[in-house]
Amino acid sequence: MTGIRHLYVHLPFCAHRCGYCDFVTVVGRAGSHHAYVDALLAELELDRGLLADPLETVYLGGGTPTFTDPAALERLLAALPPAGEVTIEANPETVAPALARLLSRNGVNRVSMGAQSFDSRLLSVLERRATPDDVRRAVHTLRDASFDNISLDLIYGIPGQSASDLQRDLEAALALEPEHLSCYELEAKPGTRFTHTFGDELARQSDALEGYFEQVVETLTAAGYRWYETANFCRRPDLADGRDLRSRHNLAYWLGRDYLGLGIGAVSTLGTGVGTVRRRNMPQLPAYLAALAGGEPPPRELEPLDDDVKRRERVMLGLRLDEPLTLAGLEAAVDERALDRMEALGLATRNDNATISLTSRGRFLGGGVTAELLA
Ligand SMILES: C[S@@+](CC[C@H](N)C(=O)[O-])C[C@H]1O[C@@H](n2cnc3c(N)ncnc32)[C@H](O)[C@@H]1O
Ligand code: SF4
């Protein structure tokens, strides 16, 4: 099969901007939702020839995709090419029964919901709109609409969060029996309001966070989840009727597959006749709408990815997974002597010189070990 098998669609609108967030988002502009969907569909038409038929995955990310005007969202979903896995990111306070039915009748079969925490105090530190009860209600609403693949996002390392607060968050998330969980360490994104207010506190607590990461992994694996990527967990197949509940869309990124991104700020990795190119749509809404309304591609940056960069990215992303990384073709990116050292320290293992993997200890140290291994 030729063509790109993974499609990302960016829906940037949010009810308000949470202080810690530096994603490409647009607050307000309720009058632009239909025009934005028109532009997305025009961009899709310009690039349709790049896509495989059928697609493997479609992912609608944000922003808050479920905050999009429902009629505009339905028009978009109905026009997107079908795929085996269709995921939408949802904020809990937007998940009403009518929205859940809209998603379900338009082919969405996976919902990734930003819970972040189940502690009202910590949710208000994050400036979240949803309460813990909103999160629970949203999961039940999705179950009532027959969704059987729900992921919850949690953030840990929130200022004021103790290890027992984190444990309560993990238990509260597990009580909802999600198929998948993503647990992210709170990052102080440069230039955000949050970093201005809490940057020093986050820097002070950074040593404790390795312990928090281990607590997350230990609790979730003990509860029957597979730690398949540094920050991602899915219910084990033996506890899920044999289903492989890893995010197929995100796996495609981690495995270095090509993908097409539509929308403001969206990124694509496109194999061309003369090599691979990373394409970034600029994050400005007015310029995006104006270009596509005139039948032109939106303003973009193009970055050629040479083989060296591609190999290094494959190693960095591949070692985040729990399956061994096949070395064939990537040898030039791996420092043999560093690999020997990491093996001696019990952080990595090499199998017949064909694959490498990080041990659990190596995975806890994560990026530091991978950085050592890169040639
Ligand atoms: C595209 S974002 C937002 C999705 C959705 N609008 C929401 O707020 O739940 C996806 C996830 O990234 C994580 N995230 C966003 N900003 C972060 C930060 N500064 N540090 C760590 N995780 C972050 C959150 O868990 C969030 O659910
Ligand atoms: S965290 Fe989510 S809801 Fe908050 S501003 Fe970012 S994208 Fe929007």
Side-chain angles (χ1 to χ4, degrees):
M1 184 167 57
T2 56
I4 295 174
R5 287 171 284 167
H6 307 282
L7 176 65
Y8 174 82
V9 181
H10 193 71
L11 287 162
F13 303 105
C14 289
H16 87 124
R17 183 181 264 283
C18 311
Y20 61 92
C21 174
D22 79 341
F23 285 92
V24 175
T25 61
V26 175
V27 175
R29 296 281 203 149
S32 300
H33 293 199
H34 275 284
Y36 185 73
V37 165
D38 290 340
L40 284 174
L41 295 178
E43 193 185 7
L44 172 64
E45 275 325 301
L46 292 176
D47 284 338
R48 196 178 275 273
L50 299 172
L51 292 175
D53 181 15
L55 292 177
E56 267 185 49
T57 68
V58 171
Y59 192 103
L60 294 105
T64 308
T66 50
F67 176 69
T68 312
D69 173 88
L73 181 60
E74 181 145 35
R75 214 155 53 77
L76 172 66
L77 288 170
L80 289 177
E85 179 190 274
V86 181
T87 304
I88 193 165
E89 286 180 351
N91 281 32
E93 69 279 12
T94 63
V95 181
L99 179 95
R101 288 194 299 272
L102 184 161
L103 300 179
S104 160
R105 72 174 171 262
N106 285 286
V108 175
N109 54 19
R110 185 169 183 276
V111 178
S112 172
M113 195 154 57
Q116 320 310 355
S117 172
F118 288 82
D119 180 321
S120 312
R121 180 179 52 96
L122 299 175
L123 286 170
S124 62
V125 171
L126 292 175
E127 301 176 9
R128 299 289 294 176
R129 290 260 160 121
T131 65
D133 280 342
D134 288 334
V135 181
R136 296 188 183 94
R137 203 174 305 121
V139 170
H140 295 137
T141 300
L142 291 168
R143 295 288 187 215
D144 287 346
S146 301
F147 281 94
D148 66 358
N149 199 352
I150 299 177
S151 180
L152 295 180
D153 288 352
L154 290 180
I155 289 183
Y156 63 91
I158 305 167
Q161 184 181 36
S162 66
S164 51
D165 291 333
L166 172 59
Q167 197 60 30
R168 271 194 295 277
D169 270 351
L170 293 168
E171 305 294 342
L174 288 171
L176 294 170
E177 304 187 343
E179 280 70 24
H180 187 281
L181 283 152
S182 303
C183 298
Y184 302 110
E185 177 183 322
L186 179 60
E187 264 184 75
K189 308 274 189 180
T192 57
R193 266 199 326 278
F194 194 83
T195 298
H196 185 68
T197 313
F198 294 109
D200 292 345
E201 188 168 347
L202 289 178
R204 272 199 305 279
Q205 69 174 17
S206 69
D207 280 354
L209 290 185
E210 197 188 318
Y212 281 28
F213 183 24
E214 296 196 19
Q215 185 182 343
V216 168
V217 172
E218 272 160 23
T219 304
L220 298 185
T221 52
Y225 287 76
R226 170 177 172 187
W227 180 28
Y228 75 96
E229 195 272 345
T230 306
N232 285 279
F233 304 80
C234 63
R235 200 182 291 158
R236 286 199 327 252
D238 56 308
L239 303 173
D241 299 326
R243 295 163 73 200
D244 179 355
L245 289 165
R246 291 176 296 175
S247 159
R248 283 166 61 188
H249 186 82
N250 289 333
L251 265 182
Y253 294 145
W254 297 318
L255 294 172
R257 303 237 189 105
D258 283 352
Y259 55 93
L260 179 69
L262 304 176
I264 58 168
V267 179
S268 310
T269 303
L270 309 171
T272 67
V274 288
T276 304
V277 168
R278 179 152 296 145
R279 191 178 88 177
R280 275 190 196 83
N281 288 351
M282 303 307 280
Q284 287 82 23
L285 181 65
Y288 180 81
L289 295 179
L292 285 154
E296 296 295 323
R300 290 173 171 151
E301 273 174 0
L302 296 180
E303 176 197 356
L305 292 185
D306 64 30
D307 288 345
D308 198 36
V309 172
K310 274 186 355 196
R311 277 193 291 266
R312 290 168 75 84
E313 287 191 356
R314 282 282 298 112
V315 172
M316 280 191 287
L317 294 171
L319 287 176
R320 294 178 64 91
L321 297 172
D322 65 347
E323 285 181 338
L325 174 71
T326 302
L327 269 174
L330 301 176
E331 296 88 345
V334 177
D335 178 343
E336 283 286 325
R337 305 239 304 266
L339 184 52
D340 290 342
R341 279 200 310 278
M342 295 299 127
E343 265 197 300
L345 290 168
L347 299 173
T349 51
R350 172 174 17 199
N351 314 300
D352 299 331
N353 273 334
T355 62
I356 46 176
S357 26
L358 299 188
T359 60
S360 292
R361 189 78 221 124
R363 292 182 79 201
F364 282 128
L365 296 175
V369 177
T370 307
E372 284 282 318
L373 288 176
L374 285 172

